[in-house]
Each structure stands twice: as structure tokens, then as C-alpha cells.
Amino acid sequence: MSLMFTGFTAAAAFLALTNEFSAQTLTAPNYAETASRFPIDRLAVAVPLAFQEAISEMLRYQNLASGWDGIGSVAPRPPVIESAIGFLRAFPLELLAPEPSVSADGSVSWFWNTASIYATVSFTRPGKFAYYAKNKQDGSKIKGVGVLDNSVPQELIDFIRVA
């Protein structure tokens, strides 16, 4: 199943237009606010269900409070979550969708773990990310840092394409 949207590569538009939540959702994210931060452009994009689900889970991390993972754990800040979602705006939708994760230090990440590759893109500050990927077949690795600028490092795309 996929939905057609005018513009906006990531699935936040889907979430802004629906009220579909899993049973685990305690409170609904503010979809109207999220939609206003991700303007719709003129391109028509079919957003695969796997991307919709990944974005939905990432948005639920806004509901976490400090201490969510024990004493000293930090809730992820909304601008960091928005950066992770913004990263997917430039991500090729024909590739494997990532899985979201959240860490006790307040960072959020996208990761891919298949028989062929492991890759992660982590967000600790708004607008910035770090990435690491390893090809499990030949042992080759890449790593780097980036700034959100509507692009994804080509070497990362090439690694994930192998998945």
C-alpha cells in the first residue's frame, strides 16, 4: 500500500493527514505542527508504507520524557527528531526503508541491518548527522558527518543499495 502526496518525500505528510496510531501510542504527536515545518512542494511522490511506519514511530519519540530509560536518560528534543525526519526528505524511496531508534542520551537514529549491510545515521543536534555503514560480505566500511541540505551522502546510498 502506498499513498500519493503532492511533494514531500518523507511520510510526515501522511501522518499530518491521518489519525492512525498503534495501540502503544500514549498521546498523539502534533501532526499539524509537523506538517507546517515540512512544506509541500510540487512533486508527486508515492510514499511506501515502510517509510510511513518508520516516520510514525520516530514521531512517537516526542512523547518520551526524561528518565524514560532509567535515571539519567534524556528525552530526544523535537528539533533532533525533526532533523531525522528531514533527512528522509532527501532519501531515495526506492531503497530499503530504515528502522528508527532512540538512545538514552537523547539522540535518534535510522538504521538498516540486513544479511549484506549494517548502516546507521544518528542525530544528536538539529541539522547535523553522523553515519556509519559496513558491508558484511567484504568488510568495507564508511563513516562521516553531514549537515541537512536536501542530500544524502552518495557513498551511504551506495552501501544501502547493496541491502
Side-chain angles (χ1 to χ4, degrees), residues 29-102:
N30 184 338
Y31 295 131
E33 181 179 321
T34 299
S36 70
R37 291 188 180 144
F38 297 100
I40 295 176
D41 60 23
R42 293 182 215 124
L43 301 174
V45 177
V47 180
L49 181 59
F51 280 85
Q52 295 170 21
E53 292 171 345
I55 294 288
S56 179
E57 186 172 340
M58 182 66 73
L59 284 170
R60 283 194 297 271
Y61 297 158
Q62 294 180 85
N63 299 323
L64 297 174
S66 292
W68 68 272
D69 194 35
I71 296 173
S73 61
V74 179
R77 295 180 304 135
V80 173
I81 292 170
E82 291 166 8
S83 292
I85 293 169
F87 177 84
L88 287 189
R89 292 182 69 194
F91 193 80
L93 295 177
E94 71 273 7
L95 297 181
L96 180 66
E99 294 290 331
S101 68
V102 60

Side-chain angles (χ1 to χ4, degrees), residues 15 28-29 45 47 65 90 97 99 113 116 123 158:
L15 297 170
V45 177
V47 180
E99 294 290 331
N113 191 11
S116 304
F123 303 84
D158 294 342

